[in-house]
Amino acid sequence: NIGQDVEAAFGSYRALARRAVDAGLRVRGYLSTCFGCPFDGAVPPARVRDLARRMVEEWGVYEVALSDTIGVAHPGQVDQVLTTVLAALPVSAVALHFHDTRGTALANVLTGLCHGVATFDASAGGLGGCPFAPGAAGNLATEDLLYLLDGLGVETGVSLDRVVAASRTIEPHVGHPLPSRVLAAWRPGV
């Protein structure tokens, strides 16, 4: 998204991240298109592992969000990438960021949970997207993620009812229905 190849971007962001870490800030890094790239195609899990490890070791980030910014990931792929990355990094240093282009974001979250990942990105109503990837849908909807986690008995400390209410206030301002499945079907108490 910044018009640089991987090595140039790593050089730019390494310096910025180090300055922030040296100033006492916690820095979370994002590694985009870990499961497929609109320009380069398939991404080898070893490449994801190596770049994530560099971000932790060279940049000083406390966590790397392995991101499916175009929404092509499927659970088998998530399993392969996490198995490879978690051989080099502790699970506490890994987060996941999924877009729901093909409807697999929640299945991918479940795969991440099975690996012990505890941090997942989401956005109200499923807002967001990748302007550089044709056809890429929005982020995983927060309320869809919460519905899954609540159903699994995972304590989040976040009220699903309140997130649904917040997303509903956003929807009229974007001029179209939000992609959240839970938002479309939500009936309080049901």
Side-chain angles (χ1 to χ4, degrees), residues 1 6 29-37 43 48 51 55 64-70 97 130:
N1 291 355
V6 172
Y30 278 78
L31 191 54
S32 297
T33 62
C34 291
F35 303 93
C37 174
V43 178
V48 176
L51 292 173
M55 291 173 79
V64 176
L66 305 179
S67 306
D68 179 28
T69 46
I70 61 172
H97 175 103
C130 181

Side-chain angles (χ1 to χ4, degrees), residues 22-93:
D22 291 346
L25 299 173
R26 287 176 39 120
V27 177
R28 182 182 204 212
Y30 278 78
L31 191 54
S32 297
T33 62
C34 291
F35 303 93
C37 174
F39 309 108
D40 296 330
V43 178
R47 176 78 168 143
V48 176
R49 176 201 61 216
D50 295 346
L51 292 173
R53 183 175 26 206
R54 285 179 60 193
M55 291 173 79
V56 170
E57 293 173 358
E58 297 174 19
W59 297 19
V61 302
Y62 74 93
E63 187 175 68
V64 176
L66 305 179
S67 306
D68 179 28
T69 46
I70 61 172
V72 297
H74 55 77
Q77 215 176 5
V78 174
D79 179 62
Q80 291 174 346
V81 169
L82 286 174
T83 298
T84 302
V85 171
L86 294 176
L89 293 176
V91 71
S92 62

